[in-house]
Amino acid sequence: MLIRRLAAEERLTHSFPLQAYAFEASPMGPSRLEEFREYLPYNVGNRTLVVEEEGSATAAATAIPMRQNLRGAVLEMAGVAGVATHPLARRRGHVRNLLHQLLDEMRDEGHALTALYPFRASFYERFGYVGLPRRRTAVLSPADLAPLLRADLPGEVVWERIGAGYPTWRAYTERCLRERHGFAIFPDFRAVGLRDRDDRWLLTAVRDGATVGAVTYRIDDHGGTLHADDLLADDPYARASLLQFFARHVDQVERISVELPADELPELWLTDLAVHVEARVSRPGSPAPMARLLSLDALADLPTGAGRVRVELVGDRWLAGSHLLDGATGKLELLPGDSAAVGHVPTATLTAAGLSGLAYGVLDPADVVVRGLGEVPADAAAELRRLFPRELPYLFADF
């Protein structure tokens, strides 16, 4: 067995067919290979590893060099995708070996975080990943948005094809990256695919010359559905401006489907708004994302409360040892856990998934215990809650 990195053109014959078999209709039609060829430029900076046996690729995994916001710090993040194994080579440890080498390499290059959409969450939990919230889908009638047509809202909306408006869209998502916990975006080489496909409309809310909200969308047919992608808005005024535009489609589409962060509550947008809100998680087919820390450097200098706790990290390839987490200055400081300056402080034993769940804000220390991701005495739990208050991440990027 050999693990090696693919050159760009090799993806057509080595990794793409494996991924197509695992995640698409099969057998693959002859035109699909040409579609893959057109997609190659948007993979140029990815790292794809394959397992080869007797000259044939039997498993593949890819890392996309991305960036993600962790509690206000924008860090390098490895987005893992395209993890697939030939059906005759499954359950032989190939994915485990690939992930170890892939994440080793990405960590060595400075990626302190990693995220993915799992084929099975419990499989990736063993690699230290923890679940993040899935985006919501809200479906409603444009007629129910009619009250917004009478609202006098500040600013204006701009409507254009995404191909023309891509620089505005990219700049706004860059700003969201800096401001929103959990937010992740693609590198430029991947992101421009949205511009080049040019198969969406872009609607932006503008106030005092600045973009304060944006959404891309398409309409499938007259009398059909307006499919809006993630609705991004700085405040209720910006959100209302975007929805007001959608309300003008009452005689064109039957329904509006819009993707939303987990903390958005569309049932409270308007009185008498009939809306169906769903976050569907299924296996296989519709997973919630997962993420983890790859390096403790990700925690250094994060804004935090005045907690102080020793953590013993166990059972992981990348996070290990005894460490003191100190938030006395308002920024998280990491010290060796056996330092003479530590003194007597509460101690928690955590797996990588347990610590990642706390850092991303998706788990309370009690959840860590219940889920079997660590041992957290009551005194240590109190300190960890001060250091890592609950905060809902929004991954945004879908890969």
Side-chain angles (χ1 to χ4, degrees), residues 1-23:
M1 184 190 75
L2 169 70
I3 294 179
R4 71 176 182 91
R5 183 177 180 179
L6 294 182
E9 284 292 330
E10 289 183 298
R11 296 188 178 105
L12 291 174
T13 53
H14 289 63
S15 62
F16 283 166
L18 288 173
Q19 294 163 16
Y21 183 85
F23 302 114

Side-chain angles (χ1 to χ4, degrees), residues 47 100-112 294-295 318:
R47 180 181 299 267
H100 281 167
Q101 182 160 327
L102 186 65
L103 294 179
D104 280 348
E105 294 179 8
M106 297 304 286
R107 186 179 187 271
D108 289 345
E109 291 186 1
H111 294 79
L294 266 182
S295 169
W318 300 283

Side-chain angles (χ1 to χ4, degrees), residues 139-146 246-247 250 253-256 273-275:
V139 180
L140 58 144
S141 167
D144 281 355
L145 299 177
F246 288 160
V250 63
V253 300
E254 181 180 351
R255 69 192 68 83
I256 296 168
L273 177 65
V275 58

Side-chain angles (χ1 to χ4, degrees), residues 52-72:
E52 285 188 333
E53 295 179 289
E54 299 180 357
S56 297
T58 56
T62 293
I64 308 165
M66 301 172 65
R67 289 171 292 151
Q68 185 178 32
N69 182 311
L70 181 69
R71 295 186 180 269

Side-chain angles (χ1 to χ4, degrees), residues 352-376:
L355 179 61
S356 297
L358 295 169
Y360 275 95
V362 294
L363 297 182
D364 180 83
D367 294 316
V368 171
V369 176
V370 170
R371 297 270 297 272
L373 302 177
E375 298 176 5
V376 188

Side-chain angles (χ1 to χ4, degrees), residues 225-294:
T225 301
L226 186 157
H227 295 274
D229 303 310
D230 297 64
L231 190 149
L232 306 175
D234 286 10
D235 54 42
Y237 286 121
R239 182 188 66 216
S241 294
L242 301 176
L243 294 174
Q244 185 185 68
F245 176 87
F246 288 160
R248 298 190 177 105
H249 293 72
V250 63
D251 296 318
Q252 183 178 351
V253 300
E254 181 180 351
R255 69 192 68 83
I256 296 168
S257 173
V258 57
E259 303 296 310
L260 300 167
D263 60 356
E264 188 65 80
L265 302 174
E267 63 270 27
L268 304 182
W269 286 347
L270 292 167
T271 305
D272 292 335
L273 177 65
V275 58
H276 177 86
V277 185
E278 181 179 56
R280 184 173 180 268
V281 177
S282 63
R283 175 177 54 83
S286 183
M290 303 182 80
R292 63 157 290 164
L293 308 180
L294 266 182

